[in-house]
Amino acid sequence: METRDMIVEVVYENKDGMFLMQIGEAVNKRFNVRMTTRDVEQVIKKNPKLFVEENSKIKSPTHY
C-alpha cells in the first residue's frame, strides 16, 4: 500500500477533517509507518484532487 493510499484511508473516514500532525499520527498508529507532517504535506500537494483544505484541516472532497 502506498503512502498516498494510507493517508486517503485515514482522511476520508473523518468528515471533520484532520490537521497534518493528526494525519501523520494516525498513519503511524494504524499502519506502523513512520510519517512526519512534512511527508504528509508532500503527499497532499502531489495529489490535490484527493484532498480539500479548510481552516488548516485536510478533508476528503466527498465530505466537503
Side-chain angles (χ1 to χ4, degrees), residues 7-19 23 44 47-54 57-64:
I7 293 173
V8 165
E9 187 173 317
V10 166
V11 170
Y12 275 48
E13 71 183 23
N14 186 329
K15 67 182 178 105
D16 296 323
M18 302 173 82
F19 293 109
I23 297 168
I44 290 167
N47 300 279
K49 293 181 180 179
L50 296 177
F51 304 101
V52 172
E53 187 171 350
E54 184 181 77
K57 286 186 174 181
I58 306 302
K59 293 182 163 192
S60 152
T62 58
H63 291 310
Y64 188 65

Side-chain angles (χ1 to χ4, degrees), residues 6 9-11 13 24-33:
M6 290 183 250
E9 187 173 317
V10 166
V11 170
E13 71 183 23
E25 288 173 352
V27 170
N28 289 344
K29 192 173 188 179
R30 182 173 307 170
F31 301 104
N32 200 24
V33 173

Side-chain angles (χ1 to χ4, degrees), residues 11 15 20-21 30-31 34-36 42-43 55 62:
V11 170
K15 67 182 178 105
L20 293 175
M21 189 158 73
R30 182 173 307 170
F31 301 104
R34 187 83 183 119
M35 180 166 283
T36 66
Q42 286 176 348
V43 171
N55 298 327
T62 58

